[in-house]
Amino acid sequence: MARILIVEDEAKIARFIELELAHEGYEVDKVEDGRAGVDAALSSPYDLILLDVLLPHLNGMEVLRRIRRESDVPVIMLTARDAVMDKVAGLDAGADDYITKPFAIEELLARIRVALKRKAEQEHGSTLQTEVLQLGPVSLDVDRHEVSVNGEPIELTNREFEVLRTLMESPGIVQTRERLASEALDYDFVGESNIVDVYIRQLRSKIDDRYDVKLITTVRGVGYVIREP
Ligand code: CA
């Protein structure tokens, strides 16, 4: 069974999560501050880490950065804040997902299952055939996770990549913000779709603005579509 590390300074919350995860059959360890979190994460082979943002000694963002220098273990951030930019910052720093406190335990368990499944798929996906999506000057290599415009490589974060990929898989078809949120970002609950706008803005600044192409079109009140230029 999967091994999960909880990094959470609020003892009651940590204990509650620990009991629920143990009940589900997961092997669980927990630590109470950021520095211990980095040490534990990098010294033991965990399958997933639940990481609180507000922690003593080192905050969760810094813990995440230090873990990411050495490990791509799935990390779900536990955040008390509800600001979209905080979530984006966490995801861009390499978090796989986040959940806002207070959360229902079923929601957390569902996200853990998704993150573990994705990890397993990535580990077994290396033998898949390479698929390259092409649209105008933009090409997107699904398996290598590479995007280029006119042959010039573009640095995209994982989430930016997933949004672009979802759009490029269905050129000419309007994708609602809700669908992009659930397909590309794994957020299937209402009210989180504004996070999609942040990624669209970032994609536009990296592709449309820089290369003077107009690939991504806004469909007001609905969502976005990508078309052959
Ligand atoms: Ca905390």
Side-chain angles (χ1 to χ4, degrees), residues 114-153:
V114 168
L116 289 173
K117 185 163 163 259
R118 198 188 294 139
K119 178 178 183 255
E121 282 169 0
Q122 278 167 0
E123 279 166 2
H124 296 108
S126 52
T127 55
L128 286 175
Q129 241 185 334
T130 289
E131 187 191 350
V132 178
L133 305 172
Q134 184 79 39
L135 199 81
V138 182
S139 85
L140 180 147
D141 187 320
V142 175
D143 301 314
R144 293 209 179 111
H145 250 247
E146 287 170 357
V147 173
S148 63
V149 179
N150 296 324
E152 217 179 292

Side-chain angles (χ1 to χ4, degrees), residues 5-10 30-42 49-67:
L5 174 67
I6 304 169
V7 188
E8 165 65 86
D9 60 316
E10 285 151 87
K30 63 180 177 359
V31 293
E32 291 171 6
D33 69 75
R35 204 159 289 148
V38 174
D39 290 346
L42 297 181
I49 296 174
L50 297 176
L51 177 59
D52 189 30
V53 172
L54 298 173
L55 288 169
H57 301 314
L58 279 181
N59 72 46
M61 289 297 176
E62 186 53 31
V63 171
L64 175 62
R65 280 188 205 103
R66 293 189 189 192
I67 291 173

Side-chain angles (χ1 to χ4, degrees), residues 58-89:
L58 279 181
N59 72 46
M61 289 297 176
E62 186 53 31
V63 171
L64 175 62
R65 280 188 205 103
R66 293 189 189 192
I67 291 173
R68 275 291 169 264
R69 277 181 218 152
E70 295 183 38
S71 160
D72 58 3
V73 59
V75 174
I76 299 177
M77 307 288 287
L78 310 176
T79 170
R81 305 179 221 177
D82 206 18
V84 169
M85 282 320 291
D86 279 346
K87 296 171 182 175
V88 171

Side-chain angles (χ1 to χ4, degrees), residues 14-224:
R15 180 79 185 133
F16 169 67
I17 298 173
E18 181 187 30
L19 288 174
E20 292 289 339
L21 294 186
H23 181 71
E24 293 292 312
Y26 295 112
E27 256 183 73
V28 188
D29 291 330
K30 63 180 177 359
V31 293
E32 291 171 6
D33 69 75
R35 204 159 289 148
V38 174
D39 290 346
L42 297 181
S43 61
S44 279
Y46 288 102
D47 296 296
L48 184 131
I49 296 174
L50 297 176
L51 177 59
D52 189 30
V53 172
L54 298 173
L55 288 169
H57 301 314
L58 279 181
N59 72 46
M61 289 297 176
E62 186 53 31
V63 171
L64 175 62
R65 280 188 205 103
R66 293 189 189 192
I67 291 173
R68 275 291 169 264
R69 277 181 218 152
E70 295 183 38
S71 160
D72 58 3
V73 59
V75 174
I76 299 177
M77 307 288 287
L78 310 176
T79 170
R81 305 179 221 177
D82 206 18
V84 169
M85 282 320 291
D86 279 346
K87 296 171 182 175
V88 171
L91 295 172
D92 283 350
D96 295 80
D97 203 351
Y98 65 83
I99 190 163
T100 306
K101 291 191 221 171
F103 48 79
I105 194 71
E106 288 307 326
E107 175 75 16
L108 179 65
L109 293 173
R111 280 156 186 268
I112 288 172
R113 283 192 295 270
V114 168
L116 289 173
K117 185 163 163 259
R118 198 188 294 139
K119 178 178 183 255
E121 282 169 0
Q122 278 167 0
E123 279 166 2
H124 296 108
S126 52
T127 55
L128 286 175
Q129 241 185 334
T130 289
E131 187 191 350
V132 178
L133 305 172
Q134 184 79 39
L135 199 81
V138 182
S139 85
L140 180 147
D141 187 320
V142 175
D143 301 314
R144 293 209 179 111
H145 250 247
E146 287 170 357
V147 173
S148 63
V149 179
N150 296 324
E152 217 179 292
I154 310 279
E155 287 282 328
L156 296 184
T157 66
N158 280 345
R159 304 282 163 159
E160 290 164 3
F161 181 90
E162 290 303 328
V163 169
L164 182 62
R165 171 188 169 166
T166 304
L167 287 167
M168 284 183 70
E169 276 172 345
S170 311
I173 293 173
V174 178
Q175 305 288 338
T176 64
R177 295 150 91 236
E178 288 72 20
R179 185 176 138 79
L180 285 169
S182 73
E183 280 293 303
L185 305 171
D186 286 329
Y187 301 132
D188 48 5
F189 44 97
V190 183
E192 290 284 344
S193 61
N194 56 349
I195 202 166
V196 169
D197 302 336
V198 176
Y199 287 103
I200 293 288
R201 235 176 1 252
Q202 291 172 186
L203 280 172
R204 280 181 165 147
S205 78
K206 289 183 177 180
I207 297 174
D208 285 16
D209 298 348
R210 238 176 95 201
Y211 292 90
D212 202 26
V213 289
K214 188 100 176 52
L215 223 54
I216 302 169
T217 305
T218 305
V219 182
R220 283 191 65 184
V222 183
Y224 300 96

